[in-house]
Amino acid sequence: MTRITGGSRAAFWALFAAPAVWMTAFFVVPLSVIWAYSFGRTLGLTQVDVTGTLANYARVFDPVYLWIFAKSLVFAGATTAICLVIGFPYALVMTFASNRAKIGLLLAIMLPFWTNLLVRTYALMAVMRTEGWINDGLGAVGLGPFEMLHTNFAVITGLVYVHLPFIVLPLFSTLDRLDRSLIEASLDLGAGHLRTIFQVVIPIVWPGILSALLLCFIPALGSYLTPDLLGGTDSQMIASVIERQFKRANDWPFGAALSFMLMYLTLAAMAWRALAERRAVLRKAR
């Protein structure tokens, strides 16, 4: 048993102090203030009276806002599902590719991160607008033009484009550690490639898949810029409503309540992931 000495304890606190102060000052304190605002009411332009009222949370359950929450969940869920369908085969190809091809595939999925999100979104607008490249190409073969910009299709396309790396990179990290002898044994015993993937690979890497889904779903649910620029009046997500409460409506308490409802949904998703992972561990133990 390792004994913790006074010197090692002092070294630990010396290393831990800086990040602890940073997280407290720039994360815990601001988040606590916003959480307190969610139980208050607006007095003036910049004044909020924290009264302990639950009226802001009750207002969240208005059908208008519930519909926007539901639509945000649908958009985030569709984005995550599409990213998984595209990202899992891509990560699988990366896993079994040669070292040179692996670097190229990794760069292809990482390159969008090197460009500002606003620039990428405006590039998508140039591609999907009525006079954009897609409609120009379709017009060359006698099709179109089709209205793509400011639609739900544009929003989901933009969200998939932005969040695809959040699926591919965790999946690649998980698949790259997979014991390939299990795959070889499955193929040697007569199972085809698809059967091996669904009955051997996926069950083994299932915890990694859940983590990847969560990493994609959470930021997609809280996306603001992409639906705001690519979507129309029927494509707004909950982050846009929160932005309007803080800026235009000057209703900080209600905006704070909406923000924390989004955080509660995020925590629920994380709890679901932990429960699913625990069940998988217990199933293996049996």
Side-chain angles (χ1 to χ4, degrees):
M1 184 175 180
T2 304
R3 182 179 179 183
I4 300 177
T5 62
S8 60
R9 187 181 294 108
F12 168 78
W13 284 111
L15 292 173
F16 181 72
V21 170
W22 176 273
M23 290 295 294
T24 301
F26 296 102
F27 180 75
V28 176
V29 172
L31 205 61
S32 300
V33 171
I34 296 299
W35 182 74
Y37 280 179
S38 68
F39 298 98
R41 59 188 181 90
T42 303
L43 293 180
L45 188 61
T46 59
Q47 293 181 329
V48 175
D49 182 21
V50 179
T51 61
T53 178
L54 296 176
N56 297 307
Y57 286 99
R59 187 179 168 191
V60 170
F61 291 94
D62 185 284
V64 174
Y65 300 109
L66 287 179
W67 172 248
I68 297 175
F69 264 113
K71 188 160 41 176
S72 300
L73 289 170
V74 170
F75 282 174
T79 298
T80 305
I82 295 172
C83 285
L84 180 63
V85 171
I86 299 173
F88 187 83
Y90 192 94
L92 202 60
V93 170
M94 285 178 60
T95 302
F96 294 98
S98 64
N99 290 333
R100 180 175 297 181
K102 188 177 297 185
I103 293 174
L105 292 170
L106 187 60
L107 282 175
I109 203 67
M110 288 293 295
L111 278 176
F113 276 146
W114 299 356
T115 308
N116 185 271
L117 176 59
L118 183 62
V119 175
R120 285 183 281 157
T121 305
Y122 275 114
L124 283 176
M125 294 174 67
V127 170
M128 290 192 292
R129 63 184 181 179
T130 306
E131 302 83 10
W133 296 347
I134 295 178
N135 277 316
D136 287 346
L138 293 174
V141 295
L143 299 175
F146 297 101
E147 185 65 36
M148 291 180 287
L149 198 59
H150 306 307
T151 62
N152 293 340
F153 168 78
V155 172
I156 293 179
T157 301
L159 290 175
V160 169
Y161 172 64
V162 170
H163 296 92
L164 184 60
F166 292 98
I167 281 278
V168 172
L169 296 178
L171 286 178
F172 169 66
S173 176
T174 302
L175 289 169
D176 198 44
R177 299 194 302 267
L178 181 66
D179 187 357
R180 301 188 183 184
S181 63
L182 298 175
I183 299 176
E184 295 173 357
S186 176
L187 295 174
D188 290 341
L189 291 173
H193 288 84
L194 286 178
R195 188 175 179 184
T196 299
I197 290 173
F198 283 100
Q199 295 189 358
V200 177
V201 176
I202 291 180
I204 294 175
V205 301
W206 182 245
I209 293 176
L210 288 179
S211 298
L213 292 175
L214 204 59
L215 284 173
C216 181
F217 180 81
I218 290 175
L221 181 62
S223 293
Y224 163 70
L225 185 63
T226 301
D228 194 59
L229 293 179
L230 297 180
T233 55
D234 294 332
S235 305
Q236 64 175 337
M237 295 178 65
I238 193 62
S240 301
V241 179
I242 294 172
E243 182 268 344
R244 285 200 299 271
Q245 299 304 317
F246 278 98
K247 288 188 175 181
R248 305 175 195 176
N250 193 40
D251 193 349
W252 285 36
F254 183 54
L258 287 172
S259 301
F260 269 87
M261 286 301 295
L262 192 62
M263 182 170 291
Y264 299 149
L265 287 174
T266 301
L267 293 175
M270 294 176 65
W272 168 81
R273 185 259 180 190
L275 184 61
E277 186 174 348
R278 182 181 178 184
R279 286 178 178 175
V281 171
L282 292 176
R283 194 179 299 115
K284 287 182 180 179
R286 292 175 184 173

